[in-house]
Amino acid sequence: MAPIALETEDHKRDAAFNKAMHGKSAQERAGLLSMMQKDADAQKAAVNEYFKHWDNKAAADETPETREARRAEYATLTRHYYNLATDLYEYGWGASFHFCRFAHGEPFRQAIARHEHYLAHTMGLKEDMTVLDVGCGVGGPAREMVKFTGANVVGLNNNDYQIERATRYAAKEGLSHKLSFTKGDFMQMAFPDNSFDAVYAIEATVHAPSLEGIYSQIFRVLKPGGVFGVYEWLMTDKYNNDDPEHRSIRLGIEQGDGISNMEKIAVALKAIEAAGFELELHEDLADRDDPMPWYWPLSGNFKYMQSIWDFPTIFRLTKLGRSSVHKFVGVLETLGLAPKGTQKTADSLALAADSLVAGGQKKLFTPMYLMIARKPKV
C-alpha cells in the first residue's frame, strides 16, 4: 500500500460550509428538528461530494483505484458523511455513536454506557488525568468518561457541526470545566508531543486512511508511559476479499458509515506495534458469549427487547420502521421541509445496518476489537 498523502486542512472553509449548511440547527433538539433546518444548496453539495465515491461503484466492480480515491479524500469524505448523517444518528441511536455488548435484562442506554465504562476501567483512567478522545462525535462517550472517571477530556473532531452540538451538550450538563472540543484532522494533530496522559478512540479511527498513520499520531501526543485504548472496526480473519458476498458486505458498511478503507484484524495489530506501542491486551469482544449479539438493535427483532424503553430504538430499525422513515423523509423533501438528499442518506444508513448485521452474523466483521497499548516510558 502506497504512503498516504494527507489532505490540506482549511478550517475557515469548513466553518463557512458549516454555517451555510447547518445555520443555527446545532442549537435545536436532536434529530428531526435539526434535520429540517438545513440549507438546500449546501446539503446538495455535501450529498454530491460524499456519494461520488459510491454511486455506480458496485462491489463487483471495485478496483484498487476506487479504494485509493476514497483514501485520498479521507477527511472530506468523513466530514461530509457526518454533515449528512449526524441528525439521523441522533434520532435513531442517541448521542453515543457506537455499538456495545448486552447483558441479560440490560436496557440499551445502560449497555452503551457500560461499554464506555469498561474501556475506561481497562485503561485505568483516573481523576484529573488529561485525556484525548479521538473522533469524539457529538460527545456522548466523552461526557460519560468525565462523569465516570473525573478525568479532563479533550474531544478531537473534524466536523464543525458535531463540535457545536457536543459543546452545547457539555454546557447543558454542566461539564464545560472538564470537557472541551477542538477541530482537527486526527491524521495530523496540532497538539504538541507528549500532551496527554491517555488517549481513547471508540469506533472512530476506522475513518483513517491508514491505521499505522493514526496510531503513530496518537503515540506522538501521548506522554511516555501513557495508555491508548481503542474499540476498532475491523474485518475478521474469516473475511475473504475475493468472495463477492464478503466484499459486498464490507462495501455496504463502508458506504453507509463514511469509511474510506476498512482493514483486517492482522493489519491493526501490526499497525499498533509499528507505531511504537507495547500492546498489553487485545480481544474481539464480539466473540464473548453474551446472551444477545452486539448487532441486535439493527436487526429490528423484538425478541431482544430488554425493557419497554427499547421499543422506539428497535421499531425504527424494523422493516416497517425503516419504510416509515423512508416515506416520511420523502414527504418532507417533497414539501420542502427537508433538503434533497436526506432520504438518500437515510437509505444509505439502512444499507449499512443490513450489512453490519450480515457481517456480524457471518463473523466477518467486528465493531469492538479492543486494544490496550502503552507508550514506553523511555
Side-chain angles (χ1 to χ4, degrees), residues 77-283:
L77 183 152
T78 301
R79 185 171 60 253
H80 280 311
Y81 172 76
Y82 284 111
N83 277 330
L84 296 169
T86 294
D87 295 326
L88 291 166
Y89 268 47
E90 290 198 66
Y91 165 73
W93 197 261
S96 290
F97 300 169
H98 64 79
F99 294 104
C100 63
R101 297 170 58 209
F102 294 94
H104 179 74
E106 186 174 37
F108 176 77
R109 305 283 179 212
Q110 182 176 319
I112 287 283
R114 181 169 64 87
H115 199 58
E116 295 158 358
H117 297 171
Y118 184 77
L119 182 62
H121 168 73
T122 308
M123 292 175 64
L125 299 187
K126 304 293 183 184
E127 185 94 16
D128 291 330
M129 288 176 72
T130 302
V131 179
L132 177 65
D133 179 335
V134 175
C136 63
V138 296
R143 294 192 296 278
E144 194 64 34
M145 292 296 195
V146 169
K147 290 181 282 190
F148 182 68
T149 70
N152 301 302
V153 177
V154 177
L156 178 66
N157 196 316
N158 191 34
N159 183 278
D160 300 72
Y161 179 60
Q162 289 193 339
I163 290 173
E164 288 185 355
R165 292 195 73 80
T167 301
R168 172 178 174 267
Y169 292 142
K172 183 179 179 181
E173 294 189 25
L175 300 174
S176 299
H177 63 298
K178 301 281 286 184
L179 177 56
S180 63
F181 301 93
T182 188
K183 161 84 172 179
D185 176 1
F186 57 27
M187 293 294 292
Q188 43 191 327
M189 299 183 198
F191 305 114
D193 294 355
N194 309 321
S195 294
F196 297 96
D197 300 308
V199 179
Y200 69 85
I202 299 179
E203 303 184 22
T205 46
V206 67
H207 293 293
S210 161
L211 291 179
E212 184 178 341
I214 178 57
Y215 296 161
S216 296
Q217 278 291 296
I218 290 168
F219 184 89
R220 181 184 66 79
V221 302
L222 260 179
K223 295 176 182 177
V227 64
F228 170 45
V230 58
Y231 289 134
E232 193 65 85
W233 279 32
L234 295 166
M235 305 309 293
T236 69
D237 292 338
K238 292 184 178 180
Y239 174 79
N240 176 9
N241 199 56
D242 294 327
D243 185 312
E245 182 186 18
H246 290 195
R247 193 164 61 248
S248 179
I249 288 170
R250 191 252 309 149
L251 190 65
I253 295 171
E254 289 177 335
Q255 174 182 335
D257 290 291
I259 300 167
S260 65
N261 182 64
M262 193 151 54
E263 299 282 13
K264 294 180 74 171
I265 290 172
V267 174
L269 293 174
K270 183 178 178 181
I272 206 162
E273 292 183 346
F277 283 105
E278 296 174 347
L279 189 59
E280 297 183 343
L281 169 68
H282 65 97
E283 179 190 1

